[in-house]
Each structure stands twice: as structure tokens, then as C-alpha cells.
């Protein structure tokens, strides 16, 4: 009798342990499934962050690769406005770099010499960038400034001291004010990624140059009026 009473609980305990083991296995399976689902749902967010950071999403599927290739093609489309912009940036460097050098030898004002330094530095960098972008975009660039720009350089060469200072400040401020408006229009409308980058850099450079030219205290009110008339909507 004693043996039978003790044997029943033993069988019951074994059955209980088996049930508990099965239940634990089910719970573990559910947890794994939940975690896997969470990671799967999180992956689009990671991909979205990568796309935001790098410009294009990296996708293992063929559709993603095809989409990236299409975007790359669209991003390199060059309009007539884009081409004209790159040409103008190139021409600006072709006369403003020599003008910046002249400021170091012909100016009497330290503020004008400082403005000349900014022109040399800013347009040297822009000129390198525009030549690189033009090669990528197959845009032909000129190797000479316009006749008007070459005439400005001649005027500066023939001036000295205070005459040079005032001439330099007003000619350069007028030209920068006019191109500044053009840069804004290009940046607002272009669909080309390289031109956008270039317009952003040009915008920062021209803004800096306008400020150092204004800091000379030599820019006449007539110069601002000339720029206003040139950029006013027609």
C-alpha cells in the first residue's frame, strides 16, 4: 500500500515536468518570433537613415539597384541654365583672381588688400571645383574672361593707391551683387546634384566677398543702385 501511494505522485510529477517543459519551449518560440519581427520592421528605418545620409538607399534587390541607377542618371541632367551658370563661374575666376593679385601691389588700403586675399582664395577654390564639375558633366568652359571683364582688369592695372581702392571696391561689389542673384535662381531650380553643390559653394564665396568689399567703406550708393536695377524682375 505504501508503495502504490508513493508511485502515483511520482508519475504525476513527471507529467507535470513535461508539461512545464513544453510550455517553456512555446514561450521561447514566441519570444524569438517577436524579436525577429521587431528586427524586420526596424530594417526599413535603418535603410531610410542610410538613404538620408548617403543620398541613395542600398538595396539588395534588383528593383532598388535599378532605382538608384535611374536617380543617378536624372541627377546628372544638365540644362542650358546649368551650363550658363558654370561658364559664368569660370569667367568670374578668370578675371577676379588677377584682380585679387593686383590688390596686393596697387592698393593703399589694408581693407582692400584683405578683400583681394579673399578673392584669390575663394575664386581659386571655385575655379578648381568648376573645372572638375564641367569635366564630369561634359560642359565646355572658356579660357578667357569676357571683354567687359578684361576691360575691368585693364582699368585696375592702370590705377594706383586710393584711385585703385575705390575702383576695385565698386567694380567688384557690382559684379558680385549681380552674380549673387543668378546663383540664387540656379540653386532654386536646378535638378542637377553637382550644380546644387556648386551653387551652394558659390553662394558662400560670393557672400563672403561682398561683405569684405563692403567692409572697405568705399562702396558707393550708386553701385548698389546699379545692382538693384540689374537684378530687379523685368
Amino acid at each position: 500500500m505504501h508503495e502504490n501511494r508513493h508511485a502515483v505522485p511520482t508519475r504525476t510529477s513527471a507529467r507535470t515536468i513535461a508539461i512545464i517543459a513544453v510550455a517553456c519551449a512555446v514561450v521561447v518560440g514566441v519570444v524569438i518570433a517577436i524579436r525577429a519581427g521587431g528586427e524586420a520592421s526596424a530594417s526599413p528605418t535603418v535603410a531610410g537613415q542610410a538613404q538620408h545620409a548617403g543620398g541613395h538607399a542600398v538595396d539588395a534587390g534588383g528593383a532598388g539597384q535599378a532605382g538608384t541607377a535611374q536617380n543617378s542618371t536624372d541627377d546628372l541632367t544638365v540644362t542650358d541654365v546649368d551650363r550658363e551658370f558654370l561658364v559664368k563661374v569660370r569667367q568670374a575666376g578668370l578675371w577676379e583672381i588677377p584682380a585679387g593679385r593686383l590688390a596686393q601691389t596697387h592698393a593703399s588700403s589694408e581693407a582692400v588688400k584683405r578683400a583681394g586675399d579673399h578673392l584669390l582664395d575663394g575664386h581659386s577654390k571655385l575655379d578648381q571645383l568648376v573645372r572638375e564639375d564641367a569635366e564630369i558633366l561634359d560642359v565646355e568652359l572658356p579660357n578667357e574672361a569676357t571683354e567687359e571683364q578684361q576691360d575691368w582688369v585693364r582699368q585696375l592695372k592702370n590705377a594706383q593707391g586710393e584711385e585703385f581702392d575705390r575702383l576695385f571696391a565698386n567694380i567688384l561689389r557690382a559684379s558680385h551683387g549681380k552674380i549673387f542673384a543668378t546663383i540664387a535662381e540656379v540653386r532654386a531650380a536646378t535638378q542637377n546634384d553637382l550644380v546644387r553643390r556648386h551653387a551652394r559653394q558659390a553662394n558662400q564665396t560670393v557672400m563672403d566677398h561682398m561683405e569684405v568689399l563692403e567692409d572697405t567703406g568705399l562702396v558707393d550708393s550708386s553701385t548698389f543702385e546699379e545692382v538693384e536695377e540689374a537684378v530687379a524682375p523685368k
Side-chain angles (χ1 to χ4, degrees), residues 7-8 10 15 18 49 53 64 71 90 100 128 134-135 152 160 162 167 171 183 193 201 203 207:
V8 173
T10 300
R15 187 179 299 111
Q49 292 173 344
N71 287 341
R90 170 65 171 164
Q128 179 180 351
E135 183 176 356
W152 291 336
Q160 290 284 346
E162 293 182 0
L167 192 62
I171 290 178
I183 293 170
D193 282 349
Q201 182 64 42
N203 180 76
M207 174 68 80

Side-chain angles (χ1 to χ4, degrees), residues 75-226:
D75 292 345
L76 295 180
T77 300
V78 184
T79 66
D80 290 341
V81 174
D82 295 336
R83 291 177 186 275
E84 183 181 3
F85 168 66
L86 295 176
V87 167
K88 285 185 176 181
V89 171
R90 170 65 171 164
Q91 289 174 326
L94 288 170
W95 83 273
E96 291 184 35
I97 292 174
R101 292 195 186 102
L102 286 171
Q104 310 312 308
T105 57
H106 287 51
S108 62
S109 165
E110 289 301 320
V112 171
K113 292 180 181 179
R114 176 173 175 266
D117 280 335
H118 280 243
L119 260 67
L120 279 170
D121 180 62
H123 282 288
S124 293
K125 292 176 181 176
L126 275 182
D127 191 65
Q128 179 180 351
L129 183 62
V130 75
R131 286 184 283 111
E132 291 172 356
D133 289 348
E135 183 176 356
I136 294 171
L137 300 174
D138 194 25
V139 174
E140 185 176 356
L141 295 178
N143 291 317
E144 289 186 350
T146 67
E147 284 296 329
E148 182 181 35
Q149 292 166 340
Q150 293 179 48
D151 183 59
W152 291 336
V153 174
R154 284 191 290 268
Q155 291 180 48
L156 292 171
K157 284 181 178 179
N158 294 328
Q160 290 284 346
E162 293 182 0
E163 180 189 0
F164 175 91
D165 294 346
R166 186 166 296 279
L167 192 62
F168 179 91
N170 285 279
I171 290 178
L172 270 299
R173 179 57 181 82
S175 66
H176 278 79
K178 294 170 186 176
I179 193 65
F180 190 64
T182 300
I183 293 170
E185 293 175 358
V186 171
R187 178 60 186 86
T190 185
Q191 299 182 49
N192 188 296
D193 282 349
L194 285 179
V195 175
R196 284 194 189 106
R197 179 192 68 170
H198 201 102
R200 181 172 62 250
Q201 182 64 42
N203 180 76
Q204 295 169 351
T205 301
V206 172
M207 174 68 80
D208 171 70
H209 292 175
M210 288 194 300
E211 290 178 349
V212 293
L213 288 164
E214 292 161 6
D215 287 345
T216 65
L218 298 172
V219 181
D220 299 330
S221 59
S222 59
T223 296
F224 292 104
E225 293 169 1
E226 177 188 342

